[in-house]
Structure formats: C-alpha cells, structure tokens
Amino acid sequence: MAVYTEVPDEELTNFIAGYDVGALLSFKGIAEGVENTNYLLHAERGSYILTLYEKRVDPTDLPFFLGLMEHLSEKGVTCPLPLHDREGNSLRTLCGRPAALMTFLEGLWVRKPRVEHCRALGDTLAAMHKAALDFDGQRRNALSVADWRPIFAAVADRADTLQWGLADEMEAELTYLEANWPADLPEGVIHADLFPDNVFFLKDHVSGLIDFYFACRDSLAYDIAVCLNAWCFEPDLSFNVTKARAMLNAYAGRRRLTEAEYASLPLLARGAAMRFFVTRLYDWLNHPPGAFVRPKDPLEYAKRIRFHRSVSSTSEYGLD
C-alpha cells in the first residue's frame, strides 16, 4: 500500500456519497506498499479502505480480483470485501483511476513471524486454496516462469553492478528453471504474493488476508513455495526449518500434497525466489532518484535461490 494519487476533499466526499456508509468523518493515506494508492476512511457506519489502482495494475484484471475477494468472503476466508454502491457497482473511477471501497480488517501484520504464525499461515493458505476451487474467474499468472527472462533481460547488462558474476549466475539459473519447470501439478487460484505484510493477525490467529492483486491460476504448490521464501528465512537469510515444518505440516493437515507436488517443492521454491529476484532487480536498477517508495534489495532473493539450489528433497524443509 502507498499513496501515489492525492484525492481532493470534495471529490472524495462525492465519491463516498454513492455508498450507504454515511457521511465521511476523516481519512488519511496509508504509506506502506508499492503498487496502489490506499486511504483509510472513517465514515458514520464504520471504517473502510479506499484503493485507487495505479498504472501497474491492468484494469481488465480488476473484476477477477474483486470477484475473488467476494467469493472467498462468502466461503468464510476473511479478506477485504468490496462494497457495492447504490447502483450495484463494486468498481468505480476516482481522480482518473479505477477505484474500489473495501471493508476494513482488524489486526496487524507481524514484522518477525514466529513458529505459531507460520503454522497459522499454512492452515489459512490451504483453507484459501480449497475455498477458491469453485471460483470460476480466469487470470493467468503474468509473472510465471516464461515471464522472468524478459524482465531479467531488460537489466541483465547492469546486474553485475550489484554483485560480480550475478548476470551469468542468474542466466544459468533461468535456463535450468525453464528446462525443468514442473507441469501437470494440481492447479487453482493462488494468492502469489502472501508475504507477512499481507496477512493480519490478532494475537497468534490469522484475522484476514489482503492484497490479492497478483492472484491468478497456477499450481497450488507454487503458492506454498512463495510462502517458504517469504516466511521461513531469518533477517540474516538463514533458513529456519522449524518455521518451515510448522507451515508445511499445517498446510498438509488441511490439504494433503500429491507425490508430484512434494517432489517438486524445492524446484518451485527456486522459481518463486527467482520471480521476486527479477522484479526486485528491475525495480532496483530503474529506481528514479527521490522516488517516494524505496525498492527492496534483490540480493536477498539471490541468496534464497542459492539456498534452494542446495536442497535435494522436500524433507529438508521439514515436511513429514
């Protein structure tokens, strides 16, 4: 979440007047995140999140994202619920941007996930996967294995400015992933970006999932691989197998992995790390001076790739 578009008071008041939420009492921008503009609004009938979708979000994907959140909410997975205005629209326009008003979720994201957080995350991820099985929306993963090389190629000639030999190493890694990427794994709707800042907790219990704007159809195990990378490495980038064991076994307790998924997880984890490496590398090398949002260090994911490359079996992640 971030603020890229400033909304004048009068335009915001007129926008809110289209919903049955009462008069606008206050609002403030939310500075975290990198993709869209977000405001926290307080109205007479409650608190809400207003999202303005910026240029990196394809407007044609928005019905998929909003429909998915409505579907998951109906299935008991707590996530922001898009509000419909008096004419039945969940997607409108504000300041020249597509915009949606969402319910507000109570809870906080954890800066330093503990084992119990990873266990709760694994169970919730499996519940989300199962709840979305009958969702009929379609969106391909625009950041899957076939999409990583073009992103990397755009900045490969500058990659060694971060670390000598990085360009050749990641070129070889891409070639390996492309040649060995698993096919025919169980598929469904995945979140694809379930980092700790997209999971809210009340104490040790998940209170909701947010930020579904990378959600798509892909292998369910790939979503697990994203979470291995996002939740199970310590600040010094050492891998915490106790956290991984808790997350993976909680997931498997609700949705058992197939033999093919189990065997493919180390490769999927390498690929998930590559996905975030190439996008972070691109943002790092194309960061305009003085920009509001600070890019994230791509070398953190280069180190994750190297770790997963050393893993020979999913048992090394702690899954029974």
Side-chain angles (χ1 to χ4, degrees), residues 14 36 38 80 103 107 111 130-131 136 163 165 187 205 213 215 246 273 286 294 299 303 313:
N14 292 336
N36 301 309
N38 291 273
T103 54
R111 270 64 175 176
K130 294 181 73 173
D136 59 6
Q163 189 175 84
E187 291 192 352
H205 302 285
Y213 303 115
N286 290 285
R294 178 180 175 84
L299 293 179
K303 292 178 181 178
S313 167

Side-chain angles (χ1 to χ4, degrees), residues 151-163:
I151 299 170
F152 179 69
V155 293
D157 60 339
R158 293 181 283 157
D160 283 5
T161 62
L162 276 77
Q163 189 175 84

Side-chain angles (χ1 to χ4, degrees), residues 39-54:
Y39 289 91
L40 172 61
L41 277 61
H42 298 286
E44 289 179 325
R45 296 181 184 174
S47 298
Y48 307 91
I49 298 293
L50 170 65
T51 299
L52 284 75
Y53 300 100
E54 301 293 344

Side-chain angles (χ1 to χ4, degrees), residues 48-223:
Y48 307 91
I49 298 293
L50 170 65
T51 299
L52 284 75
Y53 300 100
E54 301 293 344
K55 296 179 180 179
R56 294 182 71 169
V57 176
D58 184 345
T60 62
D61 287 333
L62 291 174
F64 175 88
F65 300 141
L66 299 180
L68 174 61
M69 286 186 274
E70 290 184 332
H71 180 89
L72 291 175
S73 182
E74 290 171 0
K75 292 284 187 174
V77 178
T78 306
C79 61
L81 181 62
L83 272 65
H84 291 253
D85 66 12
R86 293 191 182 91
E87 297 180 355
N89 302 306
S90 61
L91 184 64
R92 299 174 62 194
T93 301
L94 180 60
C95 295
R97 301 280 192 271
L101 190 64
M102 309 277 185
T103 54
F104 175 80
L105 298 185
E106 297 288 349
L108 298 171
W109 71 272
V110 291
R111 270 64 175 176
K112 296 180 179 180
R114 300 191 302 273
V115 171
E116 53 267 35
H117 297 127
C118 295
R119 182 178 297 111
L121 180 277
D123 180 70
T124 301
L125 180 64
M128 189 206 82
H129 285 168
K130 294 181 73 173
L133 286 176
D134 58 348
F135 177 63
D136 59 6
Q138 300 293 325
R139 180 179 183 267
R140 66 171 288 270
N141 187 352
L143 288 169
S144 191
V145 60
D147 306 286
W148 302 333
R149 186 178 292 277
I151 299 170
F152 179 69
V155 293
D157 60 339
R158 293 181 283 157
D160 283 5
T161 62
L162 276 77
Q163 189 175 84
W164 180 253
L166 188 64
D168 287 345
E169 178 190 3
M170 294 306 159
E171 174 71 27
E173 181 71 10
L174 280 168
T175 299
Y176 181 86
L177 291 170
E178 291 164 346
N180 294 279
W181 197 244
D184 300 324
L185 297 178
E187 291 192 352
V189 175
I190 67 171
H191 187 284
D193 192 41
L194 206 54
F195 279 63
D197 57 349
N198 289 330
V199 183
F200 285 178
F201 284 85
L202 289 173
K203 295 185 178 180
D204 298 334
H205 302 285
V206 174
S207 62
L209 309 179
I210 67 168
D211 203 356
F212 285 83
Y213 303 115
F214 289 101
C216 57
R217 290 194 175 275
D218 205 332
S219 65
L220 298 176
Y222 177 73
D223 225 9

